Amino acid sequence: MSPQAPGLSRTPYAPARTPALRAGDNEARRRPAHSGRRPDGGDATNTATAARWSLVIPLKPLVLAKSRLAAAVGDELRPRLALAFALDTVAAALKCPAVRNVAVVTDDPLAGAELAALGARIVPDSPGAGLNAALAHGAYRMRSRHPALPVAALNADLPALRPAELGRVLAAAAAFPRAFLADAAGIGTTFLSAVPGRDLSPVFGGPSRAAHSASGAAEILLDGVDSVRRDVDTGADLRAALSLGVGPATTALRDALDPVRGH
Protein backbone atom coordinates (compact mmCIF):
# COMPACT_ATOMS: atom_id res chain seq x y z
CA MET A 1 0.00 0.00 0.00
CA SER A 2 1.20 3.48 -0.81
CA PRO A 3 1.95 6.06 1.90
CA GLN A 4 -0.91 8.32 2.75
CA ALA A 5 -0.81 12.11 2.66
CA PRO A 6 -2.14 13.90 5.76
CA GLY A 7 -5.75 14.95 5.57
CA LEU A 8 -6.77 12.53 2.80
CA SER A 9 -8.11 9.04 3.35
CA ARG A 10 -8.06 5.98 1.15
CA THR A 11 -11.60 4.97 2.03
CA PRO A 12 -12.91 2.72 -0.77
CA TYR A 13 -15.20 4.64 -3.02
CA ALA A 14 -18.68 3.26 -3.53
CA PRO A 15 -19.48 4.21 -7.13
CA ALA A 16 -21.98 7.05 -7.04
CA ARG A 17 -22.02 8.88 -10.31
CA THR A 18 -22.83 12.53 -10.53
CA PRO A 19 -25.88 12.91 -12.78
CA ALA A 20 -24.61 13.69 -16.26
CA LEU A 21 -26.04 16.71 -18.00
CA ARG A 22 -27.60 16.17 -21.38
CA ALA A 23 -25.66 17.49 -24.34
CA GLY A 24 -26.12 21.22 -24.56
CA ASP A 25 -27.59 21.78 -21.08
CA ASN A 26 -24.64 24.01 -20.18
CA GLU A 27 -25.37 26.36 -23.08
CA ALA A 28 -29.12 26.10 -23.53
CA ARG A 29 -29.77 29.55 -22.10
CA ARG A 30 -27.55 31.32 -24.61
CA ARG A 31 -28.05 29.59 -27.96
CA PRO A 32 -30.98 29.77 -30.39
CA ALA A 33 -33.63 27.10 -29.99
CA HIS A 34 -33.01 25.89 -33.54
CA SER A 35 -29.28 25.24 -32.98
CA GLY A 36 -28.64 21.56 -33.72
CA ARG A 37 -26.89 19.21 -31.32
CA ARG A 38 -26.16 15.50 -31.68
CA PRO A 39 -26.62 13.40 -28.52
CA ASP A 40 -22.94 12.40 -28.72
CA GLY A 41 -21.87 16.03 -28.37
CA GLY A 42 -20.88 16.22 -32.03
CA ASP A 43 -22.33 19.69 -32.52
CA ALA A 44 -21.57 20.97 -29.05
CA THR A 45 -21.26 24.67 -29.75
CA ASN A 46 -22.10 27.87 -28.00
CA THR A 47 -23.47 30.22 -30.65
CA ALA A 48 -23.52 33.37 -28.54
CA THR A 49 -21.88 36.38 -30.18
CA ALA A 50 -19.00 36.41 -27.69
CA ALA A 51 -18.22 32.71 -28.21
CA ARG A 52 -15.11 32.62 -30.34
CA TRP A 53 -12.71 30.06 -28.86
CA SER A 54 -12.18 26.36 -29.50
CA LEU A 55 -10.72 24.49 -26.53
CA VAL A 56 -8.82 21.20 -26.64
CA ILE A 57 -8.57 19.17 -23.44
CA PRO A 58 -6.43 16.00 -23.27
CA LEU A 59 -7.33 13.08 -21.02
CA LYS A 60 -5.37 9.87 -20.54
CA PRO A 61 -7.20 6.55 -20.14
CA LEU A 62 -8.51 6.67 -16.59
CA VAL A 63 -6.55 3.60 -15.55
CA LEU A 64 -3.36 5.60 -16.19
CA ALA A 65 -4.48 9.10 -15.22
CA LYS A 66 -3.29 11.02 -12.14
CA SER A 67 -0.75 8.37 -11.10
CA ARG A 68 0.96 10.75 -8.65
CA LEU A 69 -2.32 11.19 -6.79
CA ALA A 70 -2.42 7.50 -5.81
CA ALA A 71 -0.08 8.10 -2.87
CA ALA A 72 -2.70 10.36 -1.31
CA VAL A 73 -6.00 8.70 -2.24
CA GLY A 74 -5.20 5.13 -3.28
CA ASP A 75 -5.63 3.37 -6.59
CA GLU A 76 -9.36 2.74 -6.19
CA LEU A 77 -10.32 6.39 -5.93
CA ARG A 78 -7.64 7.81 -8.24
CA PRO A 79 -9.36 7.07 -11.61
CA ARG A 80 -12.69 8.25 -10.24
CA LEU A 81 -11.13 11.54 -9.25
CA ALA A 82 -9.45 11.86 -12.65
CA LEU A 83 -12.86 11.55 -14.31
CA ALA A 84 -14.46 13.95 -11.83
CA PHE A 85 -11.75 16.55 -12.47
CA ALA A 86 -12.33 16.29 -16.21
CA LEU A 87 -16.11 16.53 -15.84
CA ASP A 88 -15.82 19.67 -13.70
CA THR A 89 -13.25 21.20 -16.06
CA VAL A 90 -15.36 20.62 -19.18
CA ALA A 91 -18.60 21.72 -17.52
CA ALA A 92 -17.02 25.00 -16.40
CA ALA A 93 -15.41 25.58 -19.81
CA LEU A 94 -18.76 25.10 -21.57
CA LYS A 95 -20.30 27.69 -19.26
CA CYS A 96 -17.73 30.32 -20.27
CA PRO A 97 -19.38 32.75 -22.72
CA ALA A 98 -16.14 33.07 -24.72
CA VAL A 99 -15.97 29.34 -25.48
CA ARG A 100 -17.65 28.06 -28.61
CA ASN A 101 -16.42 24.45 -28.74
CA VAL A 102 -14.74 21.99 -26.39
CA ALA A 103 -12.99 18.89 -27.72
CA VAL A 104 -11.61 16.21 -25.41
CA VAL A 105 -8.87 14.03 -26.85
CA THR A 106 -9.22 10.65 -25.17
CA ASP A 107 -9.46 6.95 -25.86
CA ASP A 108 -11.19 6.16 -22.58
CA PRO A 109 -14.73 4.90 -23.34
CA LEU A 110 -16.28 5.78 -19.97
CA ALA A 111 -14.78 9.26 -19.90
CA GLY A 112 -15.71 9.81 -23.53
CA ALA A 113 -19.34 8.91 -22.93
CA GLU A 114 -19.72 11.10 -19.85
CA LEU A 115 -17.92 14.08 -21.34
CA ALA A 116 -19.93 13.82 -24.56
CA ALA A 117 -23.08 13.92 -22.42
CA LEU A 118 -21.89 17.27 -21.05
CA GLY A 119 -21.53 18.61 -24.59
CA ALA A 120 -17.88 17.98 -25.48
CA ARG A 121 -16.74 16.66 -28.84
CA ILE A 122 -14.74 13.48 -28.30
CA VAL A 123 -11.64 13.13 -30.48
CA PRO A 124 -9.86 9.75 -30.43
CA ASP A 125 -6.17 9.96 -29.59
CA SER A 126 -5.20 8.46 -32.93
CA PRO A 127 -1.52 9.57 -32.78
CA GLY A 128 -1.07 7.67 -29.52
CA ALA A 129 2.23 9.47 -29.07
CA GLY A 130 1.78 11.32 -25.80
CA LEU A 131 0.33 14.55 -24.51
CA ASN A 132 1.72 17.05 -26.99
CA ALA A 133 0.87 14.91 -30.01
CA ALA A 134 -2.67 14.51 -28.67
CA LEU A 135 -3.03 18.28 -28.27
CA ALA A 136 -1.67 19.00 -31.73
CA HIS A 137 -4.07 16.43 -33.18
CA GLY A 138 -7.03 17.88 -31.28
CA ALA A 139 -6.16 21.41 -32.42
CA TYR A 140 -5.91 20.22 -36.03
CA ARG A 141 -9.31 18.53 -35.79
CA MET A 142 -10.95 21.61 -34.30
CA ARG A 143 -9.36 23.92 -36.86
CA SER A 144 -10.51 21.70 -39.70
CA ARG A 145 -14.07 22.47 -38.57
CA HIS A 146 -13.64 26.03 -37.29
CA PRO A 147 -10.61 27.57 -39.05
CA ALA A 148 -11.50 31.16 -38.14
CA LEU A 149 -11.49 30.54 -34.39
CA PRO A 150 -8.49 30.78 -32.07
CA VAL A 151 -7.69 27.53 -30.30
CA ALA A 152 -6.47 26.85 -26.77
CA ALA A 153 -5.24 23.79 -24.91
CA LEU A 154 -6.50 23.45 -21.35
CA ASN A 155 -5.59 20.91 -18.67
CA ALA A 156 -8.21 18.32 -17.75
CA ASP A 157 -7.40 18.51 -14.02
CA LEU A 158 -8.85 21.89 -13.05
CA PRO A 159 -11.76 20.87 -10.77
CA ALA A 160 -12.10 24.36 -9.28
CA LEU A 161 -12.29 26.08 -12.69
CA ARG A 162 -14.46 29.22 -12.77
CA PRO A 163 -15.99 30.24 -16.12
CA ALA A 164 -15.41 33.94 -15.42
CA GLU A 165 -11.71 33.39 -14.66
CA LEU A 166 -11.29 31.32 -17.81
CA GLY A 167 -12.93 34.15 -19.73
CA ARG A 168 -10.37 36.62 -18.40
CA VAL A 169 -7.52 34.35 -19.46
CA LEU A 170 -9.01 33.96 -22.94
CA ALA A 171 -9.45 37.72 -23.27
CA ALA A 172 -5.81 38.28 -22.34
CA ALA A 173 -4.63 35.53 -24.68
CA ALA A 174 -6.43 37.12 -27.63
CA ALA A 175 -3.83 39.91 -27.69
CA PHE A 176 -0.97 37.55 -28.64
CA PRO A 177 -0.25 35.15 -31.51
CA ARG A 178 0.51 32.46 -28.90
CA ALA A 179 0.12 32.75 -25.14
CA PHE A 180 0.27 30.55 -22.05
CA LEU A 181 -0.65 30.57 -18.37
CA ALA A 182 1.67 29.02 -15.79
CA ASP A 183 0.31 26.61 -13.22
CA ALA A 184 -0.02 27.40 -9.51
CA ALA A 185 3.48 26.07 -8.81
CA GLY A 186 4.99 28.38 -11.42
CA ILE A 187 6.73 25.48 -13.17
CA GLY A 188 4.22 23.92 -15.53
CA THR A 189 1.45 25.21 -17.80
CA THR A 190 -2.32 24.86 -17.62
CA PHE A 191 -3.29 26.85 -20.73
CA LEU A 192 -1.77 27.50 -24.16
CA SER A 193 -3.40 29.39 -27.03
CA ALA A 194 -2.82 30.23 -30.68
CA VAL A 195 -4.65 32.56 -33.04
CA PRO A 196 -5.81 31.41 -36.47
CA GLY A 197 -2.86 30.86 -38.78
CA ARG A 198 -0.43 30.03 -35.95
CA ASP A 199 0.45 26.52 -34.82
CA LEU A 200 -0.35 25.68 -31.21
CA SER A 201 3.10 24.02 -30.85
CA PRO A 202 2.53 22.59 -27.35
CA VAL A 203 5.48 21.59 -25.16
CA PHE A 204 3.62 20.45 -22.04
CA GLY A 205 5.29 18.23 -19.47
CA GLY A 206 7.85 18.99 -16.77
CA PRO A 207 9.07 22.62 -16.68
CA SER A 208 6.75 23.63 -19.50
CA ARG A 209 6.48 27.25 -18.36
CA ALA A 210 10.10 27.78 -19.41
CA ALA A 211 9.63 25.66 -22.54
CA HIS A 212 6.59 27.61 -23.71
CA SER A 213 8.33 30.89 -23.04
CA ALA A 214 11.37 29.72 -25.00
CA SER A 215 9.07 28.73 -27.87
CA GLY A 216 8.02 32.36 -28.26
CA ALA A 217 4.64 32.23 -26.54
CA ALA A 218 3.75 35.23 -24.37
CA GLU A 219 3.12 34.53 -20.69
CA ILE A 220 -0.25 35.71 -19.40
CA LEU A 221 0.31 37.59 -16.14
CA LEU A 222 -3.03 37.99 -14.41
CA ASP A 223 -4.07 38.07 -10.77
CA GLY A 224 -7.32 36.51 -9.67
CA VAL A 225 -7.32 33.49 -11.99
CA ASP A 226 -6.30 30.91 -9.40
CA SER A 227 -8.89 28.39 -10.59
CA VAL A 228 -7.29 28.28 -14.05
CA ARG A 229 -3.83 27.74 -12.55
CA ARG A 230 -4.86 25.13 -9.95
CA ASP A 231 -4.17 21.77 -11.54
CA VAL A 232 -4.15 18.66 -9.36
CA ASP A 233 -1.31 16.13 -9.37
CA THR A 234 -0.72 15.47 -5.65
CA GLY A 235 -2.58 15.33 -2.37
CA ALA A 236 -1.42 18.87 -1.55
CA ASP A 237 -2.76 20.07 -4.90
CA LEU A 238 -6.10 18.41 -4.18
CA ARG A 239 -6.39 20.11 -0.81
CA ALA A 240 -5.62 23.46 -2.46
CA ALA A 241 -8.31 22.87 -5.09
CA LEU A 242 -10.82 21.90 -2.42
CA SER A 243 -10.04 25.14 -0.59
CA LEU A 244 -10.93 27.10 -3.73
CA GLY A 245 -14.18 25.20 -4.13
CA VAL A 246 -14.57 22.43 -6.68
CA GLY A 247 -17.28 21.50 -9.13
CA PRO A 248 -20.13 19.03 -8.53
CA ALA A 249 -18.43 15.89 -9.82
CA THR A 250 -15.44 16.31 -7.50
CA THR A 251 -17.69 17.45 -4.67
CA ALA A 252 -19.61 14.18 -4.98
CA LEU A 253 -16.42 12.33 -3.99
CA ARG A 254 -15.76 14.38 -0.85
CA ASP A 255 -17.31 11.68 1.34
CA ALA A 256 -14.62 9.29 0.14
CA LEU A 257 -11.93 11.64 1.46
CA ASP A 258 -11.14 12.65 5.01
CA PRO A 259 -12.60 16.10 5.57
CA VAL A 260 -10.03 18.83 5.08
CA ARG A 261 -9.94 20.90 8.24
CA GLY A 262 -11.67 24.23 7.83
CA HIS A 263 -13.46 23.33 4.54
Side-chain angles (χ1 to χ4, degrees):
M1 297 175 68
S2 302
Q4 182 173 331
L8 293 173
S9 78
R10 292 168 47 201
T11 307
Y13 170 60
R17 288 154 56 120
T18 303
L21 300 178
R22 299 179 66 86
D25 284 355
N26 286 326
E27 304 154 11
R29 294 189 301 274
R30 56 178 190 255
R31 62 181 172 85
H34 63 271
S35 178
R37 303 290 292 277
R38 293 207 319 253
D40 65 354
D43 287 323
T45 60
N46 168 15
T47 55
T49 302
R52 58 185 300 267
W53 283 87
S54 293
L55 298 189
V56 179
I57 298 176
L59 181 62
K60 289 181 181 179
L62 297 177
V63 69
L64 302 175
K66 298 288 107 189
S67 58
R68 292 169 59 196
L69 197 55
V73 302
D75 275 327
E76 290 186 58
L77 187 54
R78 174 190 53 77
R80 300 283 183 178
L81 281 168
L83 176 57
F85 296 165
L87 289 169
D88 287 335
T89 300
V90 169
L94 285 169
K95 290 177 182 176
C96 177
V99 173
R100 184 173 179 85
N101 311 280
V102 174
V104 178
V105 183
T106 188
D107 283 336
D108 190 281
L110 172 61
E114 297 212 12
L115 292 164
L118 284 178
R121 175 178 297 280
I122 305 305
V123 176
D125 184 9
S126 54
L131 174 59
N132 292 310
L135 285 170
H137 174 62
Y140 171 80
R141 289 286 300 273
M142 293 302 275
R143 282 182 159 168
S144 69
R145 297 179 61 87
H146 306 284
L149 298 183
V151 65
L154 186 69
N155 284 16
D157 58 349
L158 303 173
L161 185 63
R162 305 289 193 269
E165 293 183 14
L166 176 59
R168 290 185 62 214
V169 171
L170 292 168
F176 303 100
R178 290 175 63 243
F180 72 94
L181 185 75
D183 64 9
I187 297 170
T189 305
T190 59
F191 170 96
L192 174 70
S193 66
V195 298
R198 293 294 298 266
D199 289 338
L200 188 62
S201 300
V203 283
F204 284 84
S208 61
R209 178 186 189 180
H212 282 126
S213 181
S215 77
E219 181 167 5
I220 297 168
L221 301 173
L222 283 177
D223 293 327
V225 292
D226 293 350
S227 75
V228 195
R229 299 183 188 274
R230 181 69 278 165
D231 56 347
V232 176
D233 289 313
T234 67
D237 295 339
L238 178 55
R239 287 190 292 275
L242 292 170
S243 73
L244 290 175
V246 294
T250 306
T251 297
L253 301 185
R254 282 294 298 266
D255 287 346
L257 303 170
D258 281 341
V260 179
R261 187 174 298 279
H263 302 287

